[in-house]
Amino acid sequence: MASAHEQAAKPRLDWGSVLPQAREAMTQLESVSHHVGPPAATLELVKIRVSQLNGCAYCLDMHTKDARVRGETEQRLYAVAVWKESPFYSGAERAALAWAEALTHISQGAPDNVYEALHEYYSEQEIVGLTCAIVAINSWNRWAISMRAEPGTYRPDLAR
């Protein structure tokens, strides 16, 4: 009999192959953030933090790999879980990470002060792009967790 860990680790199905329209819709939503959102480095930090909060090992593996390819430092990758206590992030990154946490813990609301802090660093269009990225990564996390995407299998050199 397989252990609970072995059983949980077995992928369920490749949902994007089963219903390509769903993957296309997700990809289109995420692409908005790449065209009008904050810099790619900030978006990767947001995706990493949201994936940490949601417990998505697959997406955490993916986005730390993507961030490294883009030149992100190990120090900042390790500390993103404690970004509030770390001096390694700019004001703009802090505002984006705070917004990401608020929207990931949406049942606690999206506080006005967190939203207002974004305006110091981002245009309205960038705020919408950032929000698209946060909505998308939360959704990607749910796909990966529910279908048990296998952490460690993502390769940046084969992506997109």
Side-chain angles (χ1 to χ4, degrees), residues 36-114:
V36 299
T42 301
L43 291 175
E44 287 301 334
L45 291 174
V46 162
K47 292 172 187 179
I48 291 165
R49 184 63 186 132
V50 169
S51 297
Q52 289 172 335
L53 294 171
N54 287 327
C56 185
Y58 181 84
C59 293
L60 188 56
D61 175 63
M62 171 190 284
H63 294 293
T64 54
K65 287 174 180 176
D66 285 347
R68 283 187 193 99
V69 166
R70 288 188 166 97
E72 188 58 78
T73 67
E74 296 294 315
Q75 184 179 46
R76 283 170 38 98
L77 290 175
Y78 299 148
V80 74
V82 290
W83 65 269
K84 292 176 191 171
E85 295 83 17
S86 302
F88 313 127
Y89 309 97
S90 70
E93 291 168 334
R94 290 174 180 283
L97 288 164
W99 188 238
E101 288 188 1
L103 297 187
T104 301
H105 297 301
I106 197 68
S107 66
Q108 299 169 15
D112 288 341
N113 65 320
V114 175

Side-chain angles (χ1 to χ4, degrees), residues 10 15 22 25 30 36 39 43 51 61 64 84 104 110 123 128 138 146-147 158 160:
K10 184 179 178 206
W15 64 273
E30 184 176 358
V36 299
L43 291 175
S51 297
D61 175 63
T64 54
K84 292 176 191 171
T104 301
S123 69
V128 172
N138 271 286
S146 67
M147 297 301 153
L158 299 179
R160 301 173 197 44

